[in-house]
Amino acid sequence: MKTKGKQSEAAEPASGPPTLKSIAFMTGYSITTVSRALKDAPDIGEEAKKRVRLVAKQIGYRPNRAGVRLRTGKTNVISLVLNTQEEVMGLTSQMVLGISDVLRGTPYHLVVTPYSLENDSMEPVRYIVETGSADGVILSRIELRDRRVRYLSEHGMPFATHGRTDMGIDHPWHDFDNERFAHDAANMLAKRGVKRAALVPPPDNLTYARHMKAGFATGLREHGMQQVALDTVTVDDTLDTIQAGVYEIMRGPGRPDGIVCGSGGAAIAASAGIEQAGLQIGRDVQIVSKQHTNILKRYRSGIEVINEDVRQGGRDLATCVIRSIEGVPADELHFLSYPDDPADTPGVPAELPQVAV
């Protein structure tokens, strides 16, 4: 049934942010009709809905979150929990862009909740749950047995993780295939004649460190290459620390003639250490690195790269959270990505059809 709605009796609204009363005054509809039109109620005519939406857009109307929460129990907020020292080579910004791609056109807004690695990573998660400040959560820096995952699962909070766990809890996730990355990187080194290779990995407490180290070891074994231990640095270390660690190993006996780097920042620092030791990239030492932005080839053309599409990862994570809020089972919300592979297009759920957004 089409309902035009009776003429609004609302007085001219006072100055301030646009409200339902503002739209009612400008359209001539009642406040109730305006509210229901914005909610796409079936008993409101399409003409009324179009007029209300147009006016709402023109005056910059945004629903009051406090009011929405009182009426529905929802915040319409997705919280991205990030540490303040996230790798700077494009990961955070690209992930935020990807999440925003999916949230655009939905009622949901993205709020970044920061924390420091020096503090307890549980603090921001507890705060979100205890204050009810978000409808869903996105986590990064995932561990094999992540306390945050168990806590959110036990409290029924919809969430998704950038990475996988191994703790008997099925949950939504997006992950880059770091095992395959490291295996392919070792293959690339072998094709360039490398005999001794080193890895700049993630810290051991993160799940993807296990994946990356396993792929690297497999690649070395298949090609008969020797692994040179580089135990003093990880991708989490400062660029100065990584440069110093690579410089030292390049000056020692049995130095590696190939390095695999788990991040673009690590590759830049490793390059500086190699050149500080008087060696040339692409001639004396080969580098293969993962990157999130197309910068490494511009920095040193001799660096070989494998791209991780972090923006697509953000899209997948946002899709996971929204679908989880809607009640989609976790086992249908697993995304494993890897570039340039026709059998597993980046962002396609592992062994499952694409989830429609």
Side-chain angles (χ1 to χ4, degrees):
M1 177 180 68
K2 293 186 178 181
T3 302
K4 183 177 180 181
K6 66 179 181 179
Q7 293 295 305
S8 172
E9 298 177 355
E12 183 174 356
S15 61
T19 64
L20 293 176
K21 193 174 183 179
S22 307
I23 303 172
F25 177 79
M26 297 178 71
T27 60
Y29 294 119
S30 68
I31 294 174
T32 301
T33 298
V34 168
S35 176
R36 293 183 61 74
L38 290 172
K39 295 175 183 177
D40 200 25
D43 59 332
I44 303 297
E46 287 303 316
E47 181 181 347
K49 290 178 183 177
K50 288 179 182 179
R51 179 171 172 77
V52 167
R53 290 168 184 162
L54 176 61
V55 170
K57 182 176 181 180
Q58 289 175 334
I59 67 175
Y61 169 76
R62 294 289 185 273
N64 182 283
R65 290 187 189 176
V68 171
R69 184 172 178 181
L70 284 172
R71 292 192 305 271
T72 68
K74 296 184 64 177
T75 64
N76 287 343
V77 168
I78 303 298
S79 180
L80 172 61
V81 180
L82 285 175
N83 80 81
T84 55
Q85 296 151 286
E86 285 282 4
E87 193 262 337
V88 297
M89 297 292 291
L91 187 150
T92 299
S93 61
Q94 289 300 309
M95 181 175 290
V96 168
L97 285 172
I99 294 170
S100 300
D101 288 343
V102 173
L103 298 189
R104 190 179 298 114
T106 76
Y108 295 101
H109 302 267
L110 178 64
V111 172
V112 176
T113 304
Y115 71 97
S116 171
L117 290 179
E118 283 73 34
N119 297 328
D120 184 2
S121 63
M122 285 293 297
E123 288 182 6
V125 176
R126 288 195 192 97
Y127 174 84
I128 292 167
V129 171
E130 291 173 1
T131 62
S133 54
D135 296 330
V137 177
I138 296 174
L139 300 174
S140 64
R141 299 185 62 83
I142 301 304
E143 301 181 6
L144 283 169
R145 289 168 178 79
D146 201 301
R147 294 182 299 151
R148 300 169 299 171
V149 167
R150 186 172 300 282
Y151 179 84
L152 291 172
S153 296
E154 290 175 348
H155 286 79
M157 170 67 78
F159 70 97
T161 62
H162 186 209
R164 286 167 279 177
T165 60
D166 185 13
M167 55 195 300
I169 296 176
D170 195 9
H171 59 84
W173 52 261
H174 163 93
D175 203 3
F176 180 76
D177 195 341
N178 285 283
E179 183 169 356
R180 187 169 181 178
F181 153 73
H183 183 267
D184 285 354
N187 291 343
M188 293 165 72
L189 292 180
K191 289 179 181 178
R192 288 157 179 75
V194 170
K195 302 299 182 184
R196 297 176 302 280
L199 173 68
V200 182
D204 282 338
N205 64 303
L206 302 181
T207 304
Y208 82 107
R210 183 177 73 170
H211 299 156
M212 193 177 292
K213 289 182 176 182
F216 185 65
T218 299
L220 296 189
R221 186 169 57 251
E222 290 175 353
H223 295 285
M225 290 188 287
Q226 177 186 347
Q227 180 168 358
V228 179
L230 184 53
D231 300 327
T232 58
V233 295
T234 73
V235 297
D236 267 14
D237 287 313
T238 67
L239 301 185
D240 287 343
T241 299
I242 296 172
Q243 177 179 338
V246 171
Y247 170 70
E248 287 299 324
I249 200 171
M250 288 298 166
R251 295 176 65 244
R255 66 166 179 83
D257 53 348
I259 294 182
V260 172
C261 295
S263 74
I268 289 175
S271 300
I274 290 167
E275 292 171 352
Q276 183 183 2
L279 303 170
Q280 183 176 326
I281 298 163
R283 184 192 68 189
D284 304 307
V285 184
Q286 309 297 325
I287 295 181
V288 180
S289 179
K290 182 168 65 169
Q291 69 171 4
H292 306 127
T293 56
N294 296 323
I295 193 172
L296 290 179
K297 284 288 189 179
R298 293 180 173 88
Y299 172 71
R300 292 291 183 273
S301 61
I303 300 176
E304 297 299 324
V305 299
I306 296 175
N307 293 301
E308 177 180 1
D309 190 344
V310 177
R311 184 163 182 167
Q312 181 60 50
R315 295 188 190 105
D316 291 344
L317 289 166
T319 298
C320 281
V321 172
I322 291 174
R323 294 292 180 258
S324 184
I325 292 171
E326 294 171 348
V328 175
D331 61 5
E332 296 181 23
L333 299 172
H334 297 165
F335 292 74
L336 185 64
S337 70
Y338 196 74
D340 304 322
D341 180 7
D344 186 16
T345 303
V348 175
E351 301 178 359
L352 289 166
Q354 181 85 39
V355 174
V357 178

